[in-house]
Amino acid sequence: MSWFPMLTFLSMFYYICVRRRARLANRGEMLNSRRAIESNSRALPMSTKAVQYAKEVLDFSSHYGSENSMSYTIWNLAGSPNVYPSSGDFTQTAVFRTYGNWWRHCSSTPAPFKRTSANFFSQDYVELVFEEPVYPTAVHILETYHPGSVVKILACSANPYSQSAPAEIRWETIWSGEPTRVNCPQSRQFSPCLKEISFPTNLLRLETNSSLLDYYTELDAVELHGVKERPVPPLKTAAIDMSDLDDDYDDKDNSELDSLTDQLSNCGIREWTNNGYFDKLPYELIQFIISHLALPDLCRLAQTCKLMYQHCCDPLQYTHLSLQPYWTNVNDSSLDYLLPRCSLVQWLNLSWTGNRGFISTSGFSRLLKVCGSELVRLELACGHFLNEACLEVIAEMCPNLQELNLSSCDKLPPQAFSHICKLSGLKRLVLYRTKIEQTALLSILNFCPEIQHLSLGSCVLIEDYDLIASVLGAKCKKLRSLDLWRSKNITERGIAELASGCVLLEELDLGWCPTLQSSTGCFVNVASKLPNLRKLFLTANRSICDSDIEELARNCQHLQQLDILGTRMVSPTALHKLLECCKELVLLDVSFCSQIDSRVVQELTTRFPSVSIKKSFTQ
């Protein structure tokens, strides 16, 4: 019959297409029926859309502002825009504590952890709550000054406004990227392409990295777009590529398989050992090779064979253990899994981990009972699972601890800090944005004379900073860096006793200390008695004058970083003398210095190109 050859051809064509489709498609994906295809072609009903600004700031790691005002604080991210689309330095925006890489070169900055994930860029974070949970379709971040800091956006399945506790809390990354340098400091709306998630959310987390920026990044508001019902994904119908009709891949695969079989049959397989060439490598060499793996890869490798399990579980691989990059998944079970490998941990980083019940007091205690005796450094920044019992465990289980970071652990009760005084070998202590009180701090200073680096920035419950400075000068003779950022009541008396007793000081942050006045001679006293100064921040002190700058030029030849933002009384002549005398100076912030205009900055930059001179603007 005339139609038979055509039927045969069509049958073979259909057979080839179906076989090719089965090979290229995902396993389990079947051809849609005509009814499914027709229903998919119909327009789906649009879900209700919602556009909302953040209602509340739930948590954050640091900010430039104080705890008692709204200027430059992260709390400014709540609500509608205050500044956008204007550009420049505005007090109504949210600003993190630092920027750039200059702080990495300070002696107070600890060395980085080994085996840190190469994909972890985050330095700061802020968590924002919105009114209604939605499935995100867009996030608009309004950046008003030096944009480019956001490196990750995450969504949480938990609703902070819900009356019932969630059965499970999940964090899902909906966008991530590497740190970027935006050449123009002007404002912009940053709207990255988001990944779809399977749950509605009203809790977002922005993580930032400002290392490539020339100055502080400023964020004005965050706008969340979403739908209240989960979008229905379209049914996929894969198109057939005509090139797929060439069906000689099977023959090629078969020939390659036959060739591989022949090679294996000709090899002396009987002479191979169970672990191949790994059995011929020294144990130390294998240890060195796997030491370059990130922690998740190390755990995966342990599941491949007994030899790799032995190597990957060797406690020597875990002398530096940083769990901060994996904070979304670290819980009591994770810590229990790692316990057998933690007997030799010396550096432990649990910053950002354990919040919302992920780590319990008992889980933390079990970990320190295993590794506490060897622990030298413990990073617990933003560890909101911590309570007084946890600090008591640290004091009892970590007799050799030298470095303790409790930055932004603002939920710790004041009485918990009294246990720190038992750690007599402490050399570095970070208490930024904590609720430590004066009595506990005085006990620490009296019983921990080895302290070299101390951060007391934004510790608002300390009543008498002059007394603290006096005890530091008397007891902590080895002090090399001191952060008194936004100390509300330190005066020239405390500065005099500090400078007389702590002559090894290399870094001193007196930014936003309103009770210090140049007329008392306090800054001249600092310059004359602390010749080793490399970093001096006198931010927002309007009384600094030429005599202070000239004294620094005469006595502090190794000065590298100086911040005199906001002074009205420093002249271009004094700055010129400073730059000529301090050959190592690399950072000079003269923002809002009324006598230092853009023309002066340009002249100084041309004359001293190795110095990064900062001058912010508003428009």
Side-chain angles (χ1 to χ4, degrees), residues 527-541:
S528 61
K529 292 184 178 179
L530 300 176
N532 296 316
L533 273 181
R534 295 179 179 273
K535 170 188 171 183
L536 179 61
F537 275 29
L538 304 174
T539 316
N541 193 304

Side-chain angles (χ1 to χ4, degrees), residues 102-112 377 428 453 481 507:
W102 54 265
W103 54 274
R104 293 183 184 272
H105 305 296
C106 298
S107 61
S108 57
T109 302
R377 175 179 170 188
R428 171 175 162 261
H453 306 287
S481 72
E507 302 175 29

Side-chain angles (χ1 to χ4, degrees), residues 296-492:
D297 296 328
L298 195 67
C299 294
R300 294 186 190 102
L301 183 62
Q303 302 174 29
T304 57
C305 66
K306 290 183 179 180
L307 178 66
M308 289 297 105
Y309 180 83
Q310 178 185 358
H311 280 283
C312 294
C313 292
D314 192 322
L316 287 172
Q317 289 291 332
Y318 300 86
T319 56
H320 286 203
L321 181 58
S322 178
L323 298 178
Q324 182 181 3
Y326 320 108
W327 64 267
T328 57
N329 298 313
V330 174
N331 52 30
D332 282 351
S333 299
S334 309
L335 299 183
D336 290 340
Y337 172 79
L338 292 170
L339 279 182
R341 317 173 188 199
C342 291
S343 59
L344 298 179
V345 172
Q346 297 177 0
W347 290 14
L348 177 61
N349 186 1
L350 291 176
S351 295
W352 301 5
T353 66
N355 301 337
R356 297 181 175 84
F358 276 42
I359 295 179
S360 65
T361 301
S362 58
F364 180 70
S365 300
R366 288 194 299 271
L367 177 63
L368 288 196
K369 286 178 182 178
V370 173
C371 67
S373 61
E374 298 291 328
L375 211 57
V376 175
R377 175 179 170 188
L378 182 56
E379 304 285 335
L380 295 169
C382 307
H384 299 316
F385 70 92
L386 294 171
N387 53 26
E388 184 176 2
C390 291
L391 262 64
E392 186 175 4
V393 169
I394 293 172
E396 292 178 359
M397 299 294 173
C398 308
N400 299 311
L401 197 65
Q402 297 179 9
E403 301 183 43
L404 178 61
N405 182 2
L406 297 174
S407 172
S408 291
C409 291
D410 54 348
K411 293 179 173 56
L412 269 173
Q415 65 272 15
F417 296 93
S418 61
H419 298 284
I420 298 177
C421 67
K422 302 172 187 176
L423 302 169
S424 58
L426 274 182
K427 295 182 179 180
R428 171 175 162 261
L429 179 60
V430 182
L431 297 172
Y432 167 72
R433 288 191 68 238
T434 60
K435 295 178 181 176
I436 189 169
E437 292 180 334
Q438 188 162 299
T439 302
L441 182 56
L442 290 174
S443 296
I444 293 171
L445 299 182
N446 276 290
F447 290 100
C448 304
E450 299 296 317
I451 285 183
Q452 298 179 16
H453 306 287
L454 179 63
S455 174
L456 299 174
S458 294
C459 292
V460 297
L461 297 185
I462 297 176
E463 300 172 353
D464 188 351
Y465 272 98
D466 279 347
L467 178 58
I468 299 301
S470 176
V471 174
L472 279 169
K475 298 289 185 179
C476 302
K477 301 292 185 179
K478 298 180 181 180
L479 194 66
R480 295 176 58 197
S481 72
L482 177 62
D483 179 8
L484 295 177
W485 174 265
R486 295 188 181 273
S487 301
K488 60 184 179 181
N489 53 32
I490 191 167
T491 68
E492 68 279 1

Side-chain angles (χ1 to χ4, degrees), residues 5-151:
M6 181 61 69
L7 179 61
T8 303
F9 173 80
L10 292 176
S11 300
M12 294 184 64
F13 179 86
Y14 177 79
Y15 169 76
I16 293 172
C17 291
V18 169
R19 197 169 73 166
R20 174 57 56 193
R21 177 183 175 84
R23 181 159 51 248
L24 295 180
N26 295 329
R27 290 193 176 275
E29 178 179 331
M30 303 299 293
L31 288 173
N32 296 316
S33 65
R34 176 181 297 177
R35 180 177 300 174
I37 295 174
E38 290 176 354
S39 65
N40 186 45
S41 65
R42 303 191 192 103
L44 295 174
M46 294 294 292
S47 179
T48 306
K49 293 183 178 180
V51 178
Q52 49 189 330
Y53 291 105
K55 181 179 181 181
E56 182 183 354
V57 173
L58 203 62
D59 188 24
F60 58 92
S61 56
S62 76
H63 63 175
Y64 187 88
S66 74
E67 303 302 296
N68 301 316
S69 76
M70 292 299 291
S71 296
Y72 296 122
T73 65
I74 297 298
W75 297 306
N76 284 324
L77 269 179
S80 57
N82 297 309
V83 173
Y84 187 85
S86 298
S87 300
D89 191 339
F90 290 90
T91 60
Q92 304 96 318
T93 57
V95 185
F96 290 104
R97 175 76 192 271
T98 189
Y99 70 93
N101 271 321
W102 54 265
W103 54 274
R104 293 183 184 272
H105 305 296
C106 298
S107 61
S108 57
T109 302
F113 274 70
K114 300 175 183 176
R115 207 194 294 278
T116 300
S117 172
N119 296 321
F120 181 71
F121 305 108
S122 305
Q123 296 173 346
D124 278 296
Y125 73 85
V126 56
E127 293 181 1
L128 302 170
V129 189
F130 298 80
E131 182 71 34
E132 297 183 33
V134 294
Y135 293 91
T137 57
V139 173
H140 300 323
I141 303 171
L142 307 183
E143 304 171 281
T144 55
Y145 199 40
H146 290 277
S149 66
V150 179
V151 294

Side-chain angles (χ1 to χ4, degrees), residues 553 556-560 576-586 607-608 610-611:
C556 301
Q557 302 293 312
H558 301 293
L559 192 64
Q560 296 177 351
H576 194 280
K577 183 176 180 180
L578 176 77
L579 293 172
E580 283 186 334
C581 295
C582 299
K583 303 294 185 182
E584 299 178 27
L585 197 68
V586 294
R607 179 72 184 276
F608 305 98
S610 62
V611 183

